[in-house]
Amino acid sequence: MTDVCFIFEVHQPLRLNRNFHSDLLIRPTTTKKDLFDLYFDHKLNRYIFERASRKCYFPSNNTILEQIERYKRERKQFKVAFSISGVFIEQCERWNPDLLDSFRQLADTGCVEFLEQTYHHSLASLFGTDRSEFVEQIKLHRRLMKDLFNYEPTVVENTECLYNNAIAKTVEGIGYEAIVTEGVERVLGWRSPNHVYKAKDSNLRVLLRNYRLSDDIGFRFSSTWWEEWPLTASKYASWLAATPGHTIVLFVDYETFGEHHWPECGIHEFLRWLPGEVIKWDHLCWCTPSEVVRRNAPVGEVDVHEYNTISWADLERDPSAWIGNSMQTIC
């Protein structure tokens, strides 16, 4: 049996206010609340959030809820996982509380797992020898998940899948059983990402994203130049069925469904039909990350030194997108 694990990253960054300096200079005093208004462009942030809610979040939540309910009483259920940032939750509370209710409906099904992440979707894990800021943000996010969904995550997805041995040790030290990161060849070598591993010198389980299959949805779905276009649910399910291994981790930005790929390209129909097409295969089943690590023993160890930190960003799959030059590092 191969466990298919479908995870969605849910985050909207706060765009900076380009008039920051001129606004700051004309104010005689600046309060803590003023800083928030000075730093961020609220009009733009609200516009993007509401557009993504209309095109992606609400229709995707409704589709997933519909399919969960459809298969809830079947032998094989449809299950998914969400990694939702605290910043995104704050935007929901500020601009559309109904969206939070939509996620609560999903939580109430019992077929949805929520992953832990840094509250601010930050790079805190890359700085400080004790990683105290990273730990603080994880704990803040833990309280948020408990308050909102009455859920206590056991699996962590660090910001942008950032991972190394020190991050793994920190995550294990605060009580988590597993972490999700990128299945990169420079770490795996000849080995497959489609198994459960453990961190070096640790009992922390490591789930590895199958980036090729994930990116087929995340990046290539609406690309008419792609030799596999159009990608149907039945075709994609057949690829999963032909993939060897104990587990296949599919991890994409939630905005894939309606924002990165517009609704007109059929991305929501793909999401609607995929659960049933996967379930048709006798050896495939949908599982949450915590179920995967409890059902499958680790087949080996992953060793990622701090100088070789991995992420899911760009072709480099490392932290260079954020700390690749001195100005980024100073910031």
Side-chain angles (χ1 to χ4, degrees):
M1 184 69 77
T2 301
D3 299 332
V4 182
C5 189
F6 211 177
I7 310 173
F8 306 107
E9 176 78 75
V10 191
H11 172 67
Q12 273 296 330
L14 293 172
R15 281 82 183 171
L16 293 175
N17 178 7
R18 291 171 181 261
N19 295 319
F20 173 83
H21 294 291
S22 59
D23 287 352
L24 181 62
L25 288 171
I26 63 174
R27 297 190 184 194
T29 58
T30 305
T31 66
K32 187 175 180 180
K33 182 182 181 301
D34 290 334
L35 287 176
F36 191 76
D37 295 333
L38 286 167
Y39 268 105
F40 303 114
D41 187 333
H42 298 315
K43 183 177 179 180
L44 177 61
N45 287 321
R46 180 168 188 169
Y47 168 77
I48 293 174
F49 174 85
E50 290 181 341
R51 184 186 68 191
S53 296
R54 183 177 66 254
K55 293 174 61 178
C56 168
Y57 305 134
F58 277 115
S60 299
N61 279 6
N62 291 338
T63 297
I64 291 172
L65 180 62
E66 170 191 288
Q67 296 309 305
I68 286 175
E69 293 295 343
R70 179 178 180 182
Y71 294 103
K72 195 169 184 180
R73 292 167 184 80
E74 301 295 326
R75 182 175 62 87
K76 293 197 287 186
Q77 299 177 329
F78 178 47
K79 300 178 180 182
V80 300
F82 290 96
S83 181
I84 308 178
S85 74
V87 173
F88 179 83
I89 297 296
E90 288 181 2
Q91 291 179 61
C92 289
E93 292 173 335
R94 189 177 304 121
W95 295 318
N96 199 330
D98 288 345
L99 184 54
L100 274 185
D101 290 336
S102 178
F103 280 106
R104 287 191 184 98
Q105 278 186 288
L106 287 167
D108 290 342
T109 64
C111 293
V112 171
E113 178 169 344
F114 293 96
L115 305 189
E116 207 77 271
Q117 68 158 282
T118 55
Y119 184 96
H120 299 292
H121 201 75
S122 76
L123 305 178
S125 63
L126 300 180
F127 298 99
T129 54
D130 64 352
R131 289 178 170 75
S132 56
E133 172 67 18
F134 173 59
V135 172
E136 183 178 334
Q137 288 195 31
I138 289 284
K139 291 180 176 179
L140 189 62
H141 189 269
R142 178 193 295 171
R143 290 196 294 272
L144 180 68
M145 294 296 101
K146 179 66 174 177
D147 292 343
L148 280 177
F149 306 118
N150 193 30
Y151 194 92
E152 297 181 2
T154 60
V155 179
V156 172
E157 179 265 320
N158 189 21
T159 307
E160 305 292 320
C161 289
L162 286 163
Y163 178 88
N164 58 41
N165 295 339
I167 290 171
K169 275 291 186 185
T170 303
V171 167
E172 183 184 35
I174 51 179
Y176 294 92
E177 64 177 322
I179 189 169
V180 181
T181 188
E182 184 81 330
V184 294
E185 286 86 355
R186 71 174 187 272
V187 171
L188 288 172
W190 57 268
R191 298 177 297 175
S192 167
N194 304 322
H195 299 282
V196 176
Y197 292 85
K198 73 182 192 71
K200 181 176 173 58
D201 300 326
S202 167
N203 288 318
L204 185 77
R205 301 305 193 251
V206 181
L207 285 175
L208 298 173
R209 175 178 179 264
N210 186 312
Y211 71 82
R212 288 188 175 87
L213 286 168
S214 298
D215 291 351
D216 285 339
I217 302 173
F219 293 117
R220 291 181 279 276
F221 181 85
S222 61
S223 300
T224 56
W225 52 261
W226 185 31
E227 65 272 14
E228 298 294 347
W229 183 87
L231 180 59
T232 64
S234 60
K235 181 195 292 186
Y236 190 77
S238 72
W239 294 352
L240 298 179
T243 301
H246 296 138
T247 183
I248 304 170
V249 177
L250 308 173
F251 191 3
V252 298
D253 278 326
Y254 205 27
E255 290 76 21
T256 294
F257 299 95
E259 182 75 358
H260 298 168
H261 301 298
W262 287 11
E264 293 79 8
C265 75
I267 190 69
H268 289 130
E269 285 70 25
F270 175 83
L271 182 60
R272 176 172 290 108
W273 289 104
L274 184 61
E277 291 297 329
V278 168
I279 288 170
K280 286 179 181 178
W281 293 89
D282 291 339
H283 67 293
L284 297 181
C285 70
W286 295 102
C287 285
T288 62
S290 61
E291 288 177 333
V292 169
V293 298
R294 290 165 190 167
R295 287 159 57 113
N296 299 280
V299 300
E301 192 175 79
V302 289
D303 183 5
V304 185
H305 194 275
E306 287 183 66
Y307 64 70
N308 195 29
T309 299
I310 59 179
S311 79
W312 75 351
D314 304 332
L315 293 175
E316 294 78 12
R317 305 186 190 282
D318 64 16
S320 61
W322 310 287
I323 56 170
N325 60 57
S326 56
M327 182 181 291
Q328 288 175 311
T329 303
I330 290 168
C331 288

